């Protein structure tokens, strides 16, 4: 197997889609996951898309000895090019209730993976970060020069902490090359509807809740506040198709290959902001299905508006998002229907 790349959280939402893009770009994804927020069904979907059984290790990256044992096993089967690290807890609300769970898992996993990288002489690392590191930015669109601000949640602080840890490690003398990929709002699913986002339990994010409400599986969607200082009063976000995001990870890996030791942040978004009401309208246009919804109270911690200036990713990585909001919402809806069946 050539160009093997470790993908932690490989059974998860963005990890599984990235595995597809890796395989299509001549890499061989080696998946790690502990199924803490995913299921083996994602691996079945992946096998169907890829046409082969991806290498997989069931392991918790926060368990250092288990991680090193898995890495030994992987290394015994051939060389590894790099690591893409997705495995992390990501529920903002839960992180305020159980902050220690978030710090223990997200920070320890990253530290252990870097220790493993050093032990196995791996020098390319792509980190799954978030625009949450910017808090409520002073200027939008937000570029990578914007200051790291007070995070809105312990989850946000784990992303800031891991970025800091990576920057320090890259400056320590070990020849590490890292890309910090700051995602805006990933949505949608692989067009085959064989993999997608699988929120276990009550979905907190807009799109999985919206598709479940449209399918009649949930109460009407609550629009969290319509008294924000935006044109229609609802919050504005930058919704990016998960396959576009997946492609950016491949671009980052290819770019890192020819770099000296570095630690570079990149914003990954479309560059366009849409309000919650605009998303509902776009969904109805794309699918012809009505979204039952009602205006409710603001959700604590929500920033009013954020969307990306992704010029750096375009100039440096040669990457730009291609799919429209409607395409992403249609793929999300098709995935929801596949789940129903
Ligand atoms: N949102 C909403 N109702 C929901 C879930 C989310 O109105 O049931 C809004 C939320 O206030 C925010 C946007 O949708 O303005 C995106 O929220 P999400 O949780 O998906 O992402 P994030 O807050 O991390 O940007």
């Amino acid at each position: 197997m050539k160009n093997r790349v470790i993908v932690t959280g490989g059974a998860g939402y963005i990890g599984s889609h990235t595995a597809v893009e890796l395989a299509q770009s001549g890499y061989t994804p080696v998946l790690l996951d502990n199924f803490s927020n995913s299921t083996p069904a994602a691996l079945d979907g992946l096998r169907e898309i890829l046409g082969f059984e991806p290498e997989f290790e069931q392991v918790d990256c926060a368990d250092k000895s288990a991680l090193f044992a898995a890495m030994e096993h992987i290394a015994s089967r051939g060389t590894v090019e790099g690591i893409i690290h997705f495995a992390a807890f990501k529920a903002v609300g839960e992180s305020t209730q159980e902050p220690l769970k978030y710090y223990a898992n997200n920070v320890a996993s990253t530290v252990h993976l870097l220790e493993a990288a050093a032990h196995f002489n791996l020098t390319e690392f792509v980190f799954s970060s978030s625009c949450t590191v910017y808090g409520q930015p002073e200027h939008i669109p937000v570029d990578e020069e914007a200051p790291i601000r007070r995070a809105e949640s312990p989850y946000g602080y784990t992303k800031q902490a891991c970025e800091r840890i990576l920057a320090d490690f890259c400056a320590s003398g070990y020849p590490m090359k890292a890309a910090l990929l700051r995602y805006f709002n990933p949505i949608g699913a692989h067009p085959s509807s064989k993999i997608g986002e699988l929120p276990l339990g009550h979905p907190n994010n807009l799109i999985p809740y919206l598709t479940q409400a449209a399918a009649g599986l949930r109460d009407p969607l609550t629009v969290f506040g319509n008294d924000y200082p935006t044109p229609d009063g609802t919050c504005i976000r930058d919704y990016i198709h998960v396959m576009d995001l997946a492609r950016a990870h491949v671009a980052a890996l290819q770019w890192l290959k020819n770099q000296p030791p570095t630690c570079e942040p990149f914003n990954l978004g479309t560059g366009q902001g849409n309000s919650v009401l605009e998303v509902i309208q776009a969904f109805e246009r794309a699918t012809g299905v009505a979204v039952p919804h009602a205006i409710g109270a603001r959700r604590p911690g929500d920033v009013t508006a954020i969307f990306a200036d992704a010029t750096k990713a375009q100039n440096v990585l040669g990457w730009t998002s291609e799919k429209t909001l409607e395409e992403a919402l249609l793929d999300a809806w098709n995935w929801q229907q596949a789940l129903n069946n």
Side-chain angles (χ1 to χ4, degrees), residues 185-188 197 199 202-214 218-224 234-239 274-281 283 291-294 299 302 325 329 332 336:
N185 289 60
I187 63 166
E197 185 168 12
H202 183 99
N204 295 306
N205 292 113
L206 177 61
I207 304 310
Y209 195 96
L210 185 158
T211 57
Q212 290 190 14
R218 299 269 172 200
D219 289 341
L221 169 72
T222 303
V223 176
F224 293 146
T234 65
C235 289
I236 291 176
R237 297 287 184 275
D238 183 337
Y239 297 94
N274 287 103
S275 73
V276 178
L277 292 178
E278 285 172 344
V279 170
I280 292 171
Q281 288 154 9
F283 179 89
V291 181
H293 65 278
R299 180 173 67 177
D302 266 339
L325 179 62
L329 293 168
Q336 176 63 52

Side-chain angles (χ1 to χ4, degrees), residues 143-336:
D143 67 20
E144 294 82 354
E145 300 296 315
I148 300 298
R149 298 289 268 284
R150 231 184 86 83
E152 299 290 342
S153 67
Y155 160 76
Y157 279 113
T158 69
K159 291 295 170 191
Q160 291 188 359
C162 290
E163 285 201 0
R164 181 76 247 165
I165 289 164
L166 269 152
D168 289 344
F169 188 56
C170 290
S172 68
Y174 182 80
M176 181 55 96
K177 307 187 269 190
L180 312 174
L181 303 187
R182 295 176 178 161
Y183 313 151
F184 283 68
N185 289 60
I187 63 166
H190 190 267
S192 69
S193 300
K194 293 186 188 301
I195 54 173
E197 185 168 12
L198 195 68
L200 302 175
H202 183 99
N204 295 306
N205 292 113
L206 177 61
I207 304 310
Y209 195 96
L210 185 158
T211 57
Q212 290 190 14
L217 303 173
R218 299 269 172 200
D219 289 341
L221 169 72
T222 303
V223 176
F224 293 146
N226 69 345
D227 56 352
Y228 285 94
T230 62
D232 67 20
T234 65
C235 289
I236 291 176
R237 297 287 184 275
D238 183 337
Y239 297 94
I240 177 168
H241 197 296
V242 66
M243 292 310 297
D244 278 334
L245 200 63
R247 214 163 28 77
H249 292 75
V250 176
L253 266 186
Q254 290 167 339
W255 176 76
L256 283 176
K257 195 162 187 63
N258 302 311
Q259 295 308 305
T262 186
C263 184
E264 278 295 325
F266 295 97
N267 285 347
L268 299 182
T270 65
Q272 195 185 325
N274 287 103
S275 73
V276 178
L277 292 178
E278 285 172 344
V279 170
I280 292 171
Q281 288 154 9
F283 179 89
E284 293 181 339
R285 265 198 315 277
T287 65
V289 176
V291 181
H293 65 278
I295 306 295
R298 288 184 177 196
R299 180 173 67 177
D302 266 339
V303 304
T304 301
I306 185 167
F307 54 99
D309 178 339
T311 312
K312 182 178 172 188
Q314 181 165 7
N315 290 344
V316 177
L317 304 179
W319 170 89
T320 180
S321 78
E322 288 169 2
K323 292 180 181 259
T324 63
L325 179 62
E326 279 82 2
E327 283 176 277
L329 293 168
L330 183 59
D331 285 337
W333 177 239
N334 289 337
W335 163 245
Q336 176 63 52

Side-chain angles (χ1 to χ4, degrees), residues 104-146:
N105 184 62
N106 294 6
V107 177
S109 294
T110 302
V111 171
H112 295 158
L113 268 166
L114 291 174
E115 289 172 331
H119 184 79
F120 292 92
N121 295 313
L122 305 179
T123 57
E124 284 159 36
F125 199 99
V126 177
F127 179 63
S128 169
S129 191
S130 165
C131 68
T132 188
V133 300
Y134 299 119
Q136 171 73 66
E138 231 159 70
H139 305 287
I140 42 175
V142 60
D143 67 20
E144 294 82 354
E145 300 296 315

